[in-house]
Amino acid sequence: MHKTTKNLAILGSTGSIGTQTLEVLEALENKELFNVVSMSCGNNIELFIEQVKKFNPEKVCISNPAKEKELKSIFPKLEIFSGDDGLIELASDKSLDIMLTGTSGYVGLKPTIKALENGVDIALANKETLVMAGDIVTETAKRHNAKILPVDSEHSAILQSSAGRFDTLNKIIITASGGPFLNKTKDEIFHATGADALKHPRWNMGKKITIDSATLMNKGLEVIEAHHLFNLPYEKIEVVIHPESLVHSAVEFKDGSIVAQIGLPSMHIPIQYALCYPNRETGIKSNSFNFIGQKLTFDKPDFEKFPCLKMAYEAGKAGGTMPVVLNAANEVCVYKFLNGKIGIKELIKTVEYELEHHNLIKNPTLEEIFETDKEIRAKLQ
Ligand code: MN
Protein backbone atom coordinates (compact mmCIF):
# COMPACT_ATOMS: atom_id res chain seq x y z
CA MET A 1 0.00 0.00 0.00
CA HIS A 2 1.21 3.46 -0.78
CA LYS A 3 2.16 5.35 2.34
CA THR A 4 0.46 8.73 2.45
CA THR A 5 1.49 10.14 5.83
CA LYS A 6 5.02 11.52 5.98
CA ASN A 7 6.92 11.50 9.24
CA LEU A 8 8.33 14.96 9.75
CA ALA A 9 11.06 16.40 11.99
CA ILE A 10 11.20 20.16 12.51
CA LEU A 11 14.53 21.58 13.63
CA GLY A 12 14.15 25.11 14.96
CA SER A 13 10.39 25.10 15.47
CA THR A 14 10.24 28.37 17.43
CA GLY A 15 12.18 30.40 14.86
CA SER A 16 10.72 32.41 12.01
CA ILE A 17 10.73 29.47 9.53
CA GLY A 18 9.69 26.97 12.22
CA THR A 19 6.60 28.89 13.34
CA GLN A 20 5.56 29.46 9.73
CA THR A 21 6.04 25.75 9.05
CA LEU A 22 3.61 24.94 11.85
CA GLU A 23 1.15 27.45 10.36
CA VAL A 24 1.46 25.62 7.03
CA LEU A 25 0.75 22.27 8.73
CA GLU A 26 -2.31 23.70 10.47
CA ALA A 27 -3.63 25.17 7.24
CA LEU A 28 -3.29 21.98 5.16
CA GLU A 29 -6.71 20.63 4.33
CA ASN A 30 -5.51 17.03 4.37
CA LYS A 31 -4.42 16.47 7.99
CA GLU A 32 -3.08 13.00 7.13
CA LEU A 33 -0.21 14.35 5.05
CA PHE A 34 2.23 14.87 7.93
CA ASN A 35 2.92 13.41 11.32
CA VAL A 36 5.25 15.59 13.40
CA VAL A 37 7.60 13.04 14.97
CA SER A 38 10.10 15.42 16.49
CA MET A 39 10.76 19.10 17.08
CA SER A 40 13.65 21.16 18.40
CA CYS A 41 13.95 24.65 19.81
CA GLY A 42 16.53 27.15 21.00
CA ASN A 43 15.67 29.32 23.98
CA ASN A 44 11.99 30.13 23.56
CA ILE A 45 10.77 27.38 25.90
CA GLU A 46 7.34 28.98 26.57
CA LEU A 47 6.42 28.95 22.89
CA PHE A 48 7.91 25.48 22.51
CA ILE A 49 5.64 24.09 25.25
CA GLU A 50 2.60 25.46 23.38
CA GLN A 51 3.84 23.87 20.16
CA VAL A 52 4.48 20.48 21.78
CA LYS A 53 0.96 20.48 23.25
CA LYS A 54 -0.52 21.18 19.85
CA PHE A 55 1.62 18.92 17.64
CA ASN A 56 2.29 16.13 20.09
CA PRO A 57 5.72 14.90 18.87
CA GLU A 58 7.37 11.74 20.24
CA LYS A 59 10.77 13.35 20.73
CA VAL A 60 12.12 16.82 21.19
CA CYS A 61 15.48 18.52 21.55
CA ILE A 62 16.13 21.75 23.44
CA SER A 63 19.42 23.60 23.29
CA ASN A 64 19.61 24.22 27.03
CA PRO A 65 19.88 20.96 29.07
CA ALA A 66 18.86 22.84 32.26
CA LYS A 67 15.30 23.01 30.91
CA GLU A 68 14.91 19.23 30.50
CA LYS A 69 13.29 18.71 33.92
CA GLU A 70 10.73 21.44 33.42
CA LEU A 71 9.70 19.91 30.12
CA LYS A 72 9.62 16.38 31.56
CA SER A 73 7.24 17.46 34.33
CA ILE A 74 4.76 18.78 31.77
CA PHE A 75 5.18 15.95 29.23
CA PRO A 76 6.11 12.76 31.16
CA LYS A 77 5.94 10.53 28.07
CA LEU A 78 8.07 12.76 25.85
CA GLU A 79 11.59 11.68 24.89
CA ILE A 80 13.80 14.71 25.55
CA PHE A 81 17.27 15.39 24.21
CA SER A 82 19.42 18.48 24.44
CA GLY A 83 22.30 20.31 22.80
CA ASP A 84 23.89 19.71 19.41
CA ASP A 85 24.08 15.94 20.07
CA GLY A 86 20.35 15.96 20.69
CA LEU A 87 19.75 17.38 17.23
CA ILE A 88 21.81 14.55 15.74
CA GLU A 89 19.68 12.14 17.77
CA LEU A 90 16.49 13.56 16.21
CA ALA A 91 18.04 13.53 12.74
CA SER A 92 19.17 9.88 13.06
CA ASP A 93 15.58 8.66 13.41
CA LYS A 94 15.08 6.06 10.66
CA SER A 95 11.30 6.49 10.72
CA LEU A 96 11.58 9.99 9.24
CA ASP A 97 10.56 10.79 5.67
CA ILE A 98 11.39 14.48 5.69
CA MET A 99 13.20 16.91 7.98
CA LEU A 100 12.85 20.68 7.94
CA THR A 101 16.12 22.38 8.87
CA GLY A 102 15.08 25.77 10.21
CA THR A 103 17.94 26.26 12.65
CA SER A 104 20.25 29.16 11.96
CA GLY A 105 24.03 28.96 11.71
CA TYR A 106 26.23 25.91 11.33
CA VAL A 107 24.38 23.76 13.92
CA GLY A 108 22.07 22.50 11.18
CA LEU A 109 24.88 21.02 9.12
CA LYS A 110 25.68 17.77 10.94
CA PRO A 111 22.03 16.79 11.56
CA THR A 112 21.27 17.45 7.89
CA ILE A 113 24.04 15.11 6.75
CA LYS A 114 22.89 12.50 9.27
CA ALA A 115 19.31 12.57 7.95
CA LEU A 116 20.47 12.44 4.32
CA GLU A 117 22.53 9.34 5.13
CA ASN A 118 19.25 7.61 6.03
CA GLY A 119 17.68 8.73 2.76
CA VAL A 120 15.52 11.34 4.51
CA ASP A 121 14.52 14.32 2.35
CA ILE A 122 15.50 17.75 3.64
CA ALA A 123 13.40 20.91 3.46
CA LEU A 124 16.31 23.30 3.74
CA ALA A 125 15.93 26.76 5.23
CA ASN A 126 19.48 27.07 6.44
CA LYS A 127 22.01 28.88 4.24
CA GLU A 128 25.18 27.68 5.94
CA THR A 129 24.51 24.03 5.11
CA LEU A 130 25.16 24.43 1.38
CA VAL A 131 27.50 27.43 1.59
CA MET A 132 29.87 25.64 3.98
CA ALA A 133 29.63 22.07 2.79
CA GLY A 134 27.70 22.05 -0.49
CA ASP A 135 29.80 19.35 -2.13
CA ILE A 136 29.57 16.95 0.82
CA VAL A 137 25.86 17.58 1.37
CA THR A 138 24.80 17.16 -2.28
CA GLU A 139 27.07 14.13 -2.67
CA THR A 140 25.50 12.52 0.42
CA ALA A 141 21.99 13.26 -0.86
CA LYS A 142 22.80 11.70 -4.22
CA ARG A 143 24.35 8.60 -2.71
CA HIS A 144 21.32 7.94 -0.50
CA ASN A 145 18.72 9.01 -3.03
CA ALA A 146 17.40 11.82 -0.85
CA LYS A 147 16.13 15.17 -2.02
CA ILE A 148 17.17 18.63 -0.84
CA LEU A 149 14.13 20.87 -1.18
CA PRO A 150 14.85 24.58 -0.78
CA VAL A 151 12.68 26.76 1.43
CA ASP A 152 14.31 30.06 0.44
CA SER A 153 11.96 32.00 -1.87
CA GLU A 154 14.42 32.31 -4.79
CA HIS A 155 15.45 28.67 -4.83
CA SER A 156 11.86 27.59 -4.36
CA ALA A 157 10.97 29.72 -7.38
CA ILE A 158 13.63 27.91 -9.41
CA LEU A 159 12.42 24.52 -8.21
CA GLN A 160 8.81 25.48 -9.01
CA SER A 161 9.68 26.93 -12.42
CA SER A 162 11.78 23.95 -13.47
CA ALA A 163 9.49 21.39 -11.80
CA GLY A 164 12.65 19.62 -10.70
CA ARG A 165 14.03 19.04 -14.24
CA PHE A 166 17.45 20.60 -13.61
CA ASP A 167 18.89 18.65 -16.54
CA THR A 168 16.82 20.82 -18.92
CA LEU A 169 18.15 24.15 -17.64
CA ASN A 170 20.42 26.44 -19.61
CA LYS A 171 20.69 29.03 -16.85
CA ILE A 172 18.89 30.43 -13.84
CA ILE A 173 18.04 34.03 -13.04
CA ILE A 174 17.98 34.87 -9.33
CA THR A 175 16.16 38.07 -8.48
CA ALA A 176 17.24 40.48 -5.74
CA SER A 177 15.22 43.36 -4.33
CA GLY A 178 18.43 45.36 -4.04
CA GLY A 179 17.78 46.09 -0.38
CA PRO A 180 17.76 49.49 1.35
CA PHE A 181 21.00 50.68 -0.34
CA LEU A 182 19.88 50.17 -3.92
CA ASN A 183 19.68 53.87 -4.77
CA LYS A 184 22.48 55.04 -2.50
CA THR A 185 25.92 56.01 -3.76
CA LYS A 186 28.97 53.87 -3.01
CA ASP A 187 30.12 56.47 -0.50
CA GLU A 188 26.76 56.53 1.30
CA ILE A 189 26.72 52.73 1.49
CA PHE A 190 30.26 52.48 2.86
CA HIS A 191 29.39 54.95 5.64
CA ALA A 192 25.91 53.68 6.48
CA THR A 193 24.84 52.84 10.03
CA GLY A 194 23.05 49.76 11.34
CA ALA A 195 19.76 51.68 11.42
CA ASP A 196 20.08 52.58 7.72
CA ALA A 197 20.77 48.98 6.81
CA LEU A 198 17.88 47.56 8.84
CA LYS A 199 15.27 49.40 6.78
CA HIS A 200 14.51 46.66 4.28
CA PRO A 201 11.89 47.78 1.75
CA ARG A 202 10.27 44.41 0.95
CA TRP A 203 10.88 41.64 3.44
CA ASN A 204 10.66 41.59 7.20
CA MET A 205 13.44 39.30 8.42
CA GLY A 206 16.01 38.75 11.15
CA LYS A 207 18.80 41.29 11.65
CA LYS A 208 21.67 39.21 10.24
CA ILE A 209 19.89 38.46 6.96
CA THR A 210 18.67 42.06 6.69
CA ILE A 211 22.26 43.35 6.81
CA ASP A 212 23.25 40.66 4.30
CA SER A 213 20.44 41.91 2.07
CA ALA A 214 21.76 45.47 2.34
CA THR A 215 25.28 44.45 1.23
CA LEU A 216 23.93 41.86 -1.28
CA MET A 217 25.98 39.22 0.55
CA ASN A 218 22.67 37.41 1.05
CA LYS A 219 22.31 37.19 -2.74
CA GLY A 220 25.89 36.01 -3.00
CA LEU A 221 25.26 33.21 -0.51
CA GLU A 222 22.14 32.30 -2.49
CA VAL A 223 24.20 32.09 -5.67
CA ILE A 224 26.51 29.57 -3.96
CA GLU A 225 23.50 27.61 -2.70
CA ALA A 226 21.97 27.61 -6.18
CA HIS A 227 25.20 26.27 -7.69
CA HIS A 228 24.93 23.23 -5.39
CA LEU A 229 21.15 22.77 -5.48
CA PHE A 230 20.75 22.91 -9.25
CA ASN A 231 24.17 21.60 -10.27
CA LEU A 232 25.00 24.58 -12.49
CA PRO A 233 28.35 26.35 -13.03
CA TYR A 234 28.55 29.93 -11.75
CA GLU A 235 28.54 31.31 -15.31
CA LYS A 236 24.99 30.04 -15.62
CA ILE A 237 23.71 31.76 -12.50
CA GLU A 238 22.67 35.34 -13.11
CA VAL A 239 21.59 37.88 -10.50
CA VAL A 240 19.06 40.49 -11.57
CA ILE A 241 17.92 43.45 -9.46
CA HIS A 242 14.14 43.50 -9.27
CA PRO A 243 13.01 46.04 -6.64
CA GLU A 244 9.33 45.01 -6.71
CA SER A 245 10.19 41.51 -5.39
CA LEU A 246 7.31 39.92 -7.29
CA VAL A 247 9.24 37.68 -9.67
CA HIS A 248 10.97 35.41 -7.16
CA SER A 249 13.39 33.95 -9.72
CA ALA A 250 13.31 32.38 -13.16
CA VAL A 251 14.83 29.59 -15.21
CA GLU A 252 15.92 29.54 -18.83
CA PHE A 253 15.63 26.14 -20.47
CA LYS A 254 17.98 24.80 -23.14
CA ASP A 255 15.49 25.82 -25.84
CA GLY A 256 15.65 29.46 -24.66
CA SER A 257 12.20 29.46 -23.12
CA ILE A 258 11.99 31.22 -19.74
CA VAL A 259 9.65 30.35 -16.88
CA ALA A 260 9.41 32.58 -13.81
CA GLN A 261 7.53 32.23 -10.57
CA ILE A 262 5.49 35.25 -9.52
CA GLY A 263 3.69 36.02 -6.29
CA LEU A 264 3.36 38.45 -3.44
CA PRO A 265 6.23 38.00 -0.94
CA SER A 266 5.42 35.08 1.40
CA MET A 267 7.53 32.45 3.14
CA HIS A 268 4.54 30.14 3.68
CA ILE A 269 4.37 29.17 0.01
CA PRO A 270 8.03 28.04 -0.32
CA ILE A 271 7.68 26.09 2.94
CA GLN A 272 4.47 24.41 1.80
CA TYR A 273 5.93 23.61 -1.61
CA ALA A 274 9.08 22.07 -0.11
CA LEU A 275 7.08 19.91 2.30
CA CYS A 276 4.54 18.73 -0.28
CA TYR A 277 6.84 18.54 -3.33
CA PRO A 278 6.12 17.61 -6.08
CA ASN A 279 2.44 18.04 -5.20
CA ARG A 280 0.54 21.23 -4.59
CA GLU A 281 -1.83 20.74 -1.71
CA THR A 282 -4.74 22.86 -0.56
CA GLY A 283 -3.52 24.82 2.41
CA ILE A 284 -2.12 28.29 2.73
CA LYS A 285 -2.98 30.33 -0.32
CA SER A 286 -0.93 33.31 -1.36
CA ASN A 287 -2.82 36.55 -2.10
CA SER A 288 -3.23 36.60 -5.87
CA PHE A 289 -0.87 38.72 -7.88
CA ASN A 290 -2.80 41.09 -10.10
CA PHE A 291 -1.12 41.69 -13.47
CA ILE A 292 -3.22 44.75 -14.22
CA GLY A 293 -1.36 47.99 -13.68
CA GLN A 294 1.83 46.33 -12.43
CA LYS A 295 5.21 47.60 -13.53
CA LEU A 296 8.02 45.12 -13.10
CA THR A 297 11.55 46.45 -13.50
CA PHE A 298 14.86 44.61 -13.82
CA ASP A 299 18.43 45.85 -13.76
CA LYS A 300 21.94 44.49 -13.50
CA PRO A 301 23.65 44.53 -10.10
CA ASP A 302 26.40 47.09 -9.50
CA PHE A 303 29.45 45.13 -8.37
CA GLU A 304 31.30 48.36 -7.50
CA LYS A 305 28.66 49.38 -4.98
CA PHE A 306 28.11 45.82 -3.81
CA PRO A 307 31.50 44.05 -3.75
CA CYS A 308 30.09 41.33 -1.45
CA LEU A 309 28.18 39.87 -4.38
CA LYS A 310 31.34 39.76 -6.46
CA MET A 311 33.33 38.20 -3.60
CA ALA A 312 30.68 35.51 -3.22
CA TYR A 313 30.91 34.58 -6.92
CA GLU A 314 34.69 34.41 -6.64
CA ALA A 315 34.64 32.39 -3.42
CA GLY A 316 32.10 30.05 -4.97
CA LYS A 317 34.20 29.56 -8.10
CA ALA A 318 37.33 28.90 -6.02
CA GLY A 319 35.29 26.29 -4.11
CA GLY A 320 36.69 24.14 -1.30
CA THR A 321 37.01 26.07 1.96
CA MET A 322 36.75 29.52 0.31
CA PRO A 323 32.96 29.90 0.85
CA VAL A 324 33.51 28.84 4.47
CA VAL A 325 35.86 31.80 4.92
CA LEU A 326 33.42 34.12 3.16
CA ASN A 327 30.55 33.05 5.39
CA ALA A 328 32.43 33.08 8.70
CA ALA A 329 34.22 36.40 8.10
CA ASN A 330 30.99 38.03 6.95
CA GLU A 331 28.98 36.75 9.91
CA VAL A 332 31.46 38.02 12.50
CA CYS A 333 31.61 41.40 10.73
CA VAL A 334 27.82 41.70 10.49
CA TYR A 335 27.47 41.37 14.27
CA LYS A 336 30.32 43.85 14.78
CA PHE A 337 28.52 46.23 12.43
CA LEU A 338 25.23 45.77 14.29
CA ASN A 339 27.05 46.59 17.53
CA GLY A 340 28.39 49.78 15.97
CA LYS A 341 32.02 48.59 16.10
CA ILE A 342 32.75 48.70 12.38
CA GLY A 343 31.25 50.24 9.25
CA ILE A 344 30.23 48.62 5.97
CA LYS A 345 33.54 49.60 4.41
CA GLU A 346 35.52 47.73 7.06
CA LEU A 347 33.17 44.76 6.76
CA ILE A 348 33.90 44.54 3.05
CA LYS A 349 37.65 45.06 3.49
CA THR A 350 37.85 42.41 6.21
CA VAL A 351 36.05 39.75 4.19
CA GLU A 352 38.19 40.64 1.16
CA TYR A 353 41.39 40.36 3.17
CA GLU A 354 40.47 36.97 4.64
CA LEU A 355 39.60 35.56 1.21
CA GLU A 356 42.86 36.82 -0.29
CA HIS A 357 44.98 35.37 2.51
CA HIS A 358 43.28 32.01 2.91
CA ASN A 359 45.16 28.81 2.12
CA LEU A 360 42.50 27.01 0.13
CA ILE A 361 41.71 23.37 0.88
CA LYS A 362 40.25 22.11 -2.38
CA ASN A 363 38.28 19.04 -1.19
CA PRO A 364 37.90 19.56 2.54
CA THR A 365 36.54 17.00 4.99
CA LEU A 366 33.76 18.06 7.31
CA GLU A 367 36.36 18.45 10.10
CA GLU A 368 38.47 20.74 7.93
CA ILE A 369 35.39 22.81 7.15
CA PHE A 370 34.58 23.27 10.84
CA GLU A 371 38.24 23.95 11.60
CA THR A 372 38.43 26.71 8.96
CA ASP A 373 35.18 28.22 10.24
CA LYS A 374 36.47 28.21 13.81
CA GLU A 375 39.83 29.72 12.87
CA ILE A 376 38.28 32.67 11.03
CA ARG A 377 35.79 33.37 13.82
CA ALA A 378 38.47 33.21 16.52
CA LYS A 379 40.73 35.51 14.54
CA LEU A 380 38.10 38.17 13.85
CA GLN A 381 36.24 38.09 17.17
MN1 MN B 1 16.11 34.59 -0.28
Side-chain angles (χ1 to χ4, degrees), residues 127 151-155 174-175 203 205 209 213 218-219 222 225 248 267:
K127 287 218 158 75
V151 164
D152 208 349
S153 63
E154 294 80 357
H155 305 97
I174 299 181
T175 54
W203 297 86
M205 308 169 290
I209 187 170
S213 298
N218 181 54
K219 211 45 59 180
E222 289 179 356
E225 285 186 281
H248 296 304
M267 278 316 293

Side-chain angles (χ1 to χ4, degrees), residues 324-337:
V324 182
V325 174
L326 176 88
N327 177 63
N330 175 63
E331 191 175 323
V332 176
C333 288
V334 166
Y335 286 107
K336 279 187 173 174
F337 172 71

Side-chain angles (χ1 to χ4, degrees), residues 130-236:
L130 289 174
V131 171
M132 289 174 69
D135 289 333
I136 295 177
V137 170
T138 51
E139 178 55 37
T140 309
K142 209 169 152 193
R143 199 167 348 110
H144 299 278
N145 207 10
K147 288 189 273 296
I148 302 170
L149 301 156
V151 164
D152 208 349
S153 63
E154 294 80 357
H155 305 97
S156 176
I158 294 163
L159 181 66
Q160 293 183 53
S161 300
S162 67
R165 288 291 309 273
F166 308 146
D167 58 319
T168 62
L169 298 180
N170 178 41
K171 71 170 185 181
I172 56 180
I173 300 100
I174 299 181
T175 54
S177 73
F181 295 162
L182 179 60
N183 297 315
K184 299 261 192 280
T185 64
K186 185 176 169 183
D187 204 52
E188 285 170 326
I189 296 171
F190 279 30
H191 295 97
T193 64
D196 299 330
L198 288 172
K199 286 179 208 137
H200 197 281
R202 297 285 159 189
W203 297 86
N204 204 345
M205 308 169 290
K207 281 187 177 174
K208 159 75 168 55
I209 187 170
T210 304
I211 302 303
D212 285 344
S213 298
T215 60
L216 291 199
M217 181 60 95
N218 181 54
K219 211 45 59 180
L221 298 175
E222 289 179 356
V223 166
I224 298 174
E225 285 186 281
H227 160 79
H228 291 294
L229 278 169
F230 309 116
N231 195 24
L232 284 170
Y234 285 92
E235 296 73 35
K236 293 186 177 277

